[in-house]
Amino acid sequence: AASLSIAGVSAGGPSAPPAASTRPQLSVRTGITIRDGNFTDFDGLEPTITWENSQQLPNEVDFRYGIDLSARTTNLASLPRRIWGRASRRFAADRYSLSTRLDMDVQRMDRVDFQIDAADEDNDLKLTMFGSAAASLKRFATSPRVSHVEFTKGFDNDGNRITINPRYNVNYDHMDVVMTYDADDTLITVTASKDDQEVTISQQLNDDNMLSPTISRDGSLSLAWDRKLGDHNSVRTTLNPNRSVEVEWKDEAWTANVNFPMEEDSMKGATVHIKRDVRF
């Protein structure tokens, strides 16, 4: 079995316990395009190795960090793809939680992407924020730019669950709200913005099958069928009339996505994507 090591993280205060290391994960992905019944445009394998580790820092701060490596290139400079780190902490007897994640594209080290998550468990309230900043210690504190922010507020009502999730995309100046009502085997999801609204009603038929029709403001319809096959296997089929049929098949480490475009009464130009995650 392959192994990797990384220098421990240290900080002032009492020494932290040893990091909990995880084995690297090899992800292999390929894309195949099928047109008129013929396999064309084989994209080739794009294997990546993902490794992560964790460290308990002083003041009860949980720190996780990792790196994505290209397993295909022989150029050492192009081997690293992305590095990331996340620091999390809980406060006030676990009522409040706060975490911050930083990501950097190693091939473009002029920018750092960040994600901030905060939660108030007692009030069932969550905040998520995405953005980026210049990858410079001098400019980092003055250059952050928020690109997306959202809140989620939850309510419990006689055993049923209601959530309200307003979202705002700063880059596109787009705001919408997602509302859900979860009652036993039925989940109703309403997504509304100034320009469009859609409603999805998901009905659990039995332990293995669920149907989810969706209708939009313009009258367009879609129908999704989720079926569990056992042993971590499942199939999701989505019918978009006059547009496409999409199938996602998960078989433990394998995931296959198939898209069949619909042109009039025929389907051609299907696209197949296959992915497998291998731990070693």
Side-chain angles (χ1 to χ4, degrees):
S3 61
L4 296 175
S5 62
I6 190 169
V9 178
S10 61
S15 60
S21 179
T22 57
R23 291 185 177 184
Q25 174 176 302
L26 175 65
S27 176
V28 180
R29 178 178 298 171
T30 184
I32 303 171
T33 301
I34 309 172
R35 291 190 177 94
D36 300 325
N38 297 316
F39 287 85
T40 62
D41 299 338
F42 183 72
D43 294 339
L45 298 176
E46 291 292 342
T48 59
I49 297 176
T50 299
W51 176 83
E52 67 178 48
N53 205 2
S54 63
Q55 184 87 23
Q56 183 72 45
L57 300 182
N59 299 317
E60 299 181 341
V61 175
D62 293 323
F63 183 51
R64 301 188 66 86
Y65 47 95
I67 185 171
D68 296 339
L69 304 172
S70 172
R72 186 179 186 183
T73 182
T74 57
N75 184 354
L76 293 180
S78 301
L79 185 63
R81 289 188 173 182
R82 178 172 292 273
I83 56 177
W84 61 270
R86 176 187 286 274
S88 306
R89 187 184 177 188
R90 305 185 72 88
F91 306 86
D94 290 343
R95 173 180 176 178
Y96 303 106
S97 63
L98 177 66
S99 71
T100 302
R101 173 174 170 136
L102 300 179
D103 285 80
M104 177 182 285
D105 185 343
V106 179
Q107 304 304 318
R108 183 185 175 185
M109 301 183 67
D110 59 341
R111 190 184 78 177
V112 176
D113 297 322
F114 64 81
Q115 176 184 343
I116 299 175
D117 296 285
D120 179 349
E121 298 292 341
D122 286 3
N123 290 312
D124 205 344
L125 181 64
K126 295 181 181 179
L127 163 69
T128 300
M129 184 184 303
F130 296 91
S132 60
S136 168
L137 293 178
K138 294 182 178 180
R139 297 177 54 199
F140 184 84
T142 59
S143 66
R145 185 176 187 276
V146 175
S147 60
H148 178 94
V149 61
E150 64 179 78
F151 293 88
T152 303
K153 172 63 177 175
F155 305 89
D156 291 321
N157 180 26
D158 294 333
N160 302 325
R161 175 75 173 166
I162 301 172
T163 64
I164 301 176
N165 175 212
R167 309 179 297 187
Y168 179 56
N169 189 306
V170 180
N171 292 337
Y172 296 97
D173 190 23
H174 180 266
M175 179 180 292
D176 66 2
V177 59
V178 180
M179 296 170 286
T180 66
Y181 180 73
D182 191 351
D184 295 328
D185 294 331
T186 303
L187 174 63
I188 302 174
T189 304
V190 179
T191 304
S193 67
K194 181 179 64 175
D195 302 317
D196 193 18
Q197 299 85 42
E198 70 175 27
V199 179
T200 300
I201 303 176
S202 302
Q203 182 64 47
Q204 191 76 43
L205 304 179
N206 51 43
D207 291 342
D208 298 325
N209 294 276
M210 181 173 66
L211 289 179
S212 303
T214 298
I215 183 170
S216 299
R217 177 184 178 183
D218 60 4
S220 60
L221 298 170
S222 67
L223 178 63
W225 173 29
D226 293 278
R227 177 170 176 77
K228 296 179 181 178
L229 304 178
D231 297 329
H232 307 290
N233 302 334
S234 64
V235 175
R236 179 181 178 89
T237 305
T238 304
L239 171 63
N240 303 293
N242 301 320
R243 289 176 292 165
S244 65
V245 176
E246 301 171 4
V247 179
E248 181 180 71
W249 177 24
K250 294 184 178 180
D251 185 355
E252 293 185 346
W254 288 96
T255 300
N257 294 90
V258 185
N259 180 280
F260 297 94
M262 299 177 65
E263 299 179 3
E264 296 180 351
D265 295 329
S266 65
M267 294 189 296
K268 52 186 178 181
T271 303
V272 180
H273 292 282
I274 302 173
K275 174 186 174 181
R276 176 175 173 82
D277 292 327
V278 181
R279 290 185 181 274
F280 65 96

